[in-house]
Amino acid sequence: MTEWDERVPGRRWTVRLDPVGRGSAEVRVTCSRPACAELRLPSATAGRAAAAAHLMAHLRAAPAPGAGTYCACRAEGCRAHLPGTGGQARTEPWRCGGPVVLAVVTDRAGRWWQALECCSTCAAATPGARTADPSRPSGPRTAARPTPAAGPGGPRFSDRQVAGGAAVPAPRPEPARRRRPPEERVGRRVIPRDLRPVSLRDELVELGDLFRAYQMREEPDLVMLAGLQERKARAFLTWSDVSCDVTLRLEATRAERAAAVIRRQHQHRTGCVTDGDEPGVVRLLTVPKQWDYARSVLAYVAAHAPLPGPEARLLVLMLTLRTAHSGTGNLVGQDLSGLGLTDPEALVEQLTGCGWLDLPGTVGDLLASRPENPTPITVPSLTPGAAAPLTFGRKTRPKLSGWAQRVVSDKKLRKAKAPAGTRLLALTLATRTDLAGHLGPGGEGIALSTLAEQVALPPGELPPLIDRLTALDWLTETVLTDTHLTARLTERVLPLTCPLLE
């Protein structure tokens, strides 16, 4: 029997952290030593602390590796036990190197901790392995580097008993994850790193940065966007020539067309439209005559509303548009609940009480009516027998009513639960813009006294409503003085405007 046959394998034990079951936050801590009982903890954090304390207790109680101990990992294909040729040779104990030490290996995810007696060469060849030092009160994931042997009575380690003071090899660091540098893009195209000439690559990188910066702008700039599209078209044509990629030429053509469309759109929105061209903004009311009709209805309601206040003014306006031309129309409860009225039932009762509105039943029946069973209503002052206050025809009435309904039920106004005064102000401003959306004739603004007369509020109560419309993306470039409001309607509400042409 040789000396190697008389040696015993090194000790090894593992502490694991596992979940108890699905749907529970509890975890269990188990140890491979038969005498250790299973522990159950309420959370993973508590389980890791208990596992660390359990393994540290084993390390403190473990005696130093014996002189007749060989590597515990020699039978598992450890790199230190294989010849340098890389072949799968039989593991042999004499391929170990250095003294036997007590090492700790941890899982990077914090699911298991393993202590084993192995040679210093194996410890250095194992990524993340640390030589344990039981004299320090730290967990297994923070096991310290080797320190001098403890004093008398403490655990001793064979790596500190080597004659001649031979040093133990330093542990191999854990491999760092290699991260590929981020790819530079323009649109959906990846810019090759070896693209030549360098000036073309720099132009494409700058274009990508400029397009991304434009997307972060709060307000659009069509002139800037058209210029970017033109630069993109030129750059992609050059890129197509140097790379012989036909798809790049197609993208260049699309960028040229986009630049032309954007410039034309800017001309339409600023009023610089060539005679005979169609308008750039597709408005809900398509002809100037309808815009004049919308302003006439607002003026009529402001002069003939039977009750004061913005809520009554808005309700009278919507009922007038619903019953104009014949004096009768249909109404459902949803038409009233979507106007932001504080008490629609009381307001309708006041209109019926003063004789302005006739109902076949009660106000409660009107509020409870559904689209499949609407309530017929009558406004006596708009019946054909009376003097015709509104001159538009039967086909124009539903267009005007639909336009007003679209404005007062705008998505952002509806989500913010804007009050009736804010919605009535939005309707008024939509009829007092130029072609580009600037308020007033020629974009000069509107007098606050004119707005107060239309909205049935004192001029001092208008600033909060104007601020709310600005916050709800209805107005932009807002400048409010003591007497005038200068602003521009945002791009999203331009289709709802009725421009002033004079």
Side-chain angles (χ1 to χ4, degrees), residues 15 29 39 41 45-55:
V15 179
V29 178
L39 298 177
L41 285 305
T45 303
R48 289 190 180 93
H54 185 86
L55 183 60

Side-chain angles (χ1 to χ4, degrees), residues 70-104:
Y70 62 79
C71 236
C73 62
R74 73 179 186 87
E76 298 184 359
C78 176
R79 295 179 181 179
H81 291 91
L82 296 178
T85 58
Q88 295 294 330
R90 180 177 63 87
T91 57
E92 298 175 347
W94 53 83
R95 295 196 181 277
C96 291
V100 177
V101 296
L102 185 60
V104 176

Side-chain angles (χ1 to χ4, degrees), residues 154-236:
R156 296 178 301 168
F157 294 87
S158 59
D159 62 328
R160 292 299 158 188
Q161 299 172 3
V162 182
V168 178
R172 179 178 298 177
E174 297 187 28
R177 295 182 178 178
R178 295 182 179 180
R179 295 182 178 178
R180 299 180 61 184
E183 296 176 332
E184 293 174 310
R185 295 174 176 268
V186 50
R188 296 185 179 181
R189 287 277 183 173
V190 178
I191 306 173
R193 298 185 180 278
D194 56 349
L195 181 62
R196 295 295 182 272
V198 178
S199 59
L200 172 61
R201 188 178 188 280
D202 293 342
E203 172 71 4
L204 292 172
V205 172
E206 183 180 356
L207 276 174
D209 295 338
L210 291 175
F211 272 109
R212 285 186 288 272
Y214 182 84
Q215 292 175 351
M216 302 299 293
R217 291 175 58 92
E218 295 183 358
E219 294 293 335
D221 187 338
L222 298 184
V223 176
M224 177 188 296
L225 182 58
L228 291 178
Q229 292 289 356
E230 289 176 349
R231 286 181 59 182
K232 178 181 176 181
R234 292 192 297 267
F236 271 58

Side-chain angles (χ1 to χ4, degrees), residues 234-485:
R234 292 192 297 267
F236 271 58
L237 279 175
T238 306
W239 192 3
S240 174
D241 293 337
V242 300
S243 63
C244 300
D245 189 346
V246 180
T247 60
L248 292 172
R249 185 172 294 273
L250 296 177
E251 289 196 31
T253 303
R254 286 194 290 268
E256 290 179 352
R257 294 175 180 173
V261 170
I262 293 170
R263 289 199 181 279
R264 185 179 180 84
Q265 185 180 19
H266 173 69
Q267 292 174 356
H268 283 296
R269 293 183 178 181
T270 55
C272 303
V273 184
T274 307
D275 293 339
D277 287 350
E278 296 181 357
V281 178
V282 180
R283 289 181 167 83
L284 196 61
L285 298 179
T286 56
V287 296
K289 195 65 175 177
Q290 295 174 349
W291 306 340
D292 294 336
Y293 286 147
R295 281 186 283 269
S296 68
V297 174
L298 289 175
Y300 171 78
V301 172
H304 297 84
L307 298 175
E311 292 195 353
R313 182 76 57 85
L314 179 62
L315 180 57
V316 169
L317 172 64
M318 301 306 292
L319 295 181
T320 298
L321 289 173
R322 190 64 63 93
T323 59
H325 187 72
S326 64
T328 60
N330 292 324
L331 204 65
V332 297
Q334 186 177 0
D335 295 331
L336 300 179
S337 60
L339 297 179
L341 304 176
T342 304
D343 190 354
E345 183 174 0
L347 191 56
V348 174
E349 287 180 349
Q350 293 180 33
L351 291 177
T352 56
C354 68
W356 188 85
L357 177 66
D358 289 341
L359 297 177
T362 64
V363 179
D365 296 336
L366 171 62
L367 295 176
S369 60
R370 306 285 294 175
E372 57 271 12
N373 187 23
T375 300
I377 62 172
T378 303
V379 177
S381 59
L382 298 177
T383 55
L390 303 174
T391 59
F392 50 83
R394 179 172 54 87
K395 294 182 179 180
T396 304
R397 187 209 61 78
K399 293 180 180 179
L400 296 177
S401 179
W403 162 77
Q405 190 66 36
R406 280 283 300 275
V407 174
V408 299
S409 61
D410 174 69
K411 179 174 66 174
K412 293 196 175 183
L413 296 178
R414 186 177 67 252
K415 286 188 175 181
K417 298 181 179 179
T422 304
R423 302 182 192 225
L424 184 58
L425 178 61
L427 264 172
T428 303
L429 295 179
T431 62
R432 296 178 178 271
T433 69
D434 60 10
L435 289 171
H438 295 91
L439 294 182
E444 297 178 356
I446 308 175
L448 293 183
S449 57
T450 302
L451 291 178
E453 182 181 354
Q454 291 290 328
V455 184
L457 282 175
E461 297 183 17
L462 289 179
L465 304 184
I466 296 171
D467 293 340
R468 189 157 193 174
L469 286 179
T470 304
L472 293 176
D473 193 28
W474 190 276
L475 292 177
T476 185
E477 303 174 10
T478 305
V479 178
L480 182 62
T481 65
D482 294 338
T483 59
H484 278 74
L485 169 64

Side-chain angles (χ1 to χ4, degrees), residues 4-68:
W4 296 107
D5 295 332
E6 295 177 355
R7 303 185 73 178
V8 296
R11 295 165 296 172
R12 178 199 301 268
W13 62 91
T14 304
V15 179
R16 292 188 58 85
L17 178 67
D18 299 297
V20 172
R22 181 175 298 178
S24 174
E26 291 188 355
V27 295
R28 60 170 176 264
V29 178
T30 57
C31 182
S32 60
R33 287 196 169 187
C36 297
E38 176 183 309
L39 298 177
R40 293 207 173 193
L41 285 305
S43 65
T45 303
R48 289 190 180 93
H54 185 86
L55 183 60
M56 182 55 65
H58 280 315
L59 295 177
R60 290 185 180 277

Side-chain angles (χ1 to χ4, degrees), residues 92-165:
E92 298 175 347
W94 53 83
R95 295 196 181 277
C96 291
V100 177
V101 296
L102 185 60
V104 176
V105 183
T106 64
D107 175 30
R108 298 180 67 179
R111 294 170 296 184
W112 55 263
W113 298 260
Q114 188 177 80
L116 71 159
E117 293 177 340
C118 64
C119 67
S120 57
T121 303
C122 292
T126 303
R130 295 290 184 269
T131 302
D133 181 7
S135 63
R136 293 185 59 182
S138 58
R141 290 191 61 83
T142 58
R145 296 180 180 274
T147 58
R156 296 178 301 168
F157 294 87
S158 59
D159 62 328
R160 292 299 158 188
Q161 299 172 3
V162 182

